Amino acid sequence: EVQLVESGGGLVQPGRSLTLSCTGSGFTFGDYAMHWVRQAPGKGLEWVGFIRTKDFGETAEYAASVKGRFTISRDDSKHIAYLQMNSLKTEDTALYYCTLELPFEYWGPGTLVTVSS
Amino acid sequence: DIQLTQSPSFLSTSVGDRVTITCRASQGINSYLAWYQQKPGKAPKLLIYAASALRSGVPSRFSGSGSGTEFTLTISSLQPEDFATYYCQQLNSYPYTFGQGTKLEI
């Protein structure tokens, strides 16, 4: 059974950094691109970015709203994808989900990030 | 970036109703579109991909159609468990944008 579990969320002040983790199980982790999607409280879904597999250079792409501040990486040996978030803004407050490659058939339960002073 | 516009944003419906939700793309995306259902406090659930392919296990009352710039999600006979918010997503190119959502209300 495919499972994804996000962790690392919490309360952080504006301008600070936070790193989220997504641990996968039940599938060959290194064979799949990994995506991050977020949802601000009471709002819709926003695609954040994704990282390609090792075969495709483990390169990443990002939404304009986070490009230059967020970095996605992966450690296939640990079955973990990371979302490093720097220079956080109040508008980054959201529930952050990780998902497998398109279409998003599998989702984690999400981890809540609150950016507030 | 490709923008997706869903209509309506809210829909007051009843059990047994036939419901159609429209998703319009700002440029052609062939059939690279998916539909998701989200209930409060839960992660989204994939219903349809490639515009019209029903995900395994999804009830057949859900169907999708369209290509290019206009797409529809149809629920043939609304069931109590279908009251939720529905999102379309384009899979054509990154950023893989979502529509703003359509909330079905009783």
Side-chain angles (χ1 to χ4, degrees), chain A residues 23-103:
Chain A
T23 303
S25 61
F27 62 101
T28 305
F29 190 88
D31 286 352
Y32 292 87
M34 299 297 297
H35 293 248
W36 289 90
V37 175
R38 69 183 181 182
Q39 186 168 36
K43 302 298 183 182
L45 301 169
E46 180 185 15
W47 178 81
V48 173
F50 83 112
I51 185 167
R52 298 177 178 87
T53 63
K54 187 175 183 178
D55 285 349
F56 290 90
E58 293 188 3
T59 52
E61 308 294 342
Y62 303 92
S65 58
V66 306
K67 193 170 184 178
R69 299 188 299 121
F70 289 13
T71 301
I72 301 173
S73 60
R74 62 190 299 157
D75 185 336
D76 292 345
S77 67
K78 295 182 179 178
H79 293 193
I80 299 177
Y82 300 98
L83 177 65
Q84 181 180 347
M85 304 182 293
N86 297 331
S87 302
L88 281 162
K89 305 175 182 180
T90 55
E91 53 263 41
D92 295 319
T93 293
L95 186 63
Y96 284 75
Y97 296 102
C98 67
T99 73
L100 292 186
E101 60 187 54
L102 301 165

Side-chain angles (χ1 to χ4, degrees), chain A residues 35 37 39 43-48 50 52 61-64 95 97 102-110, chain B residues 1 34 36 38 41-46 48-49 55-56 87 89-92 94-100:
Chain A
H35 293 248
V37 175
Q39 186 168 36
K43 302 298 183 182
L45 301 169
E46 180 185 15
W47 178 81
V48 173
F50 83 112
R52 298 177 178 87
E61 308 294 342
Y62 303 92
L95 186 63
Y97 296 102
L102 301 165
F104 298 152
E105 190 171 3
Y106 301 102
W107 298 67
Chain B
D1 295 359
Y36 301 87
Q38 187 179 33
K42 299 292 187 181
K45 173 186 171 184
L46 176 68
I48 289 174
Y49 60 96
R55 179 191 180 183
S56 176
Y87 296 92
Q89 182 197 22
Q90 63 86 13
L91 315 178
N92 184 74
Y94 61 84
Y96 298 110
T97 43
F98 291 89
Q100 81 277 16

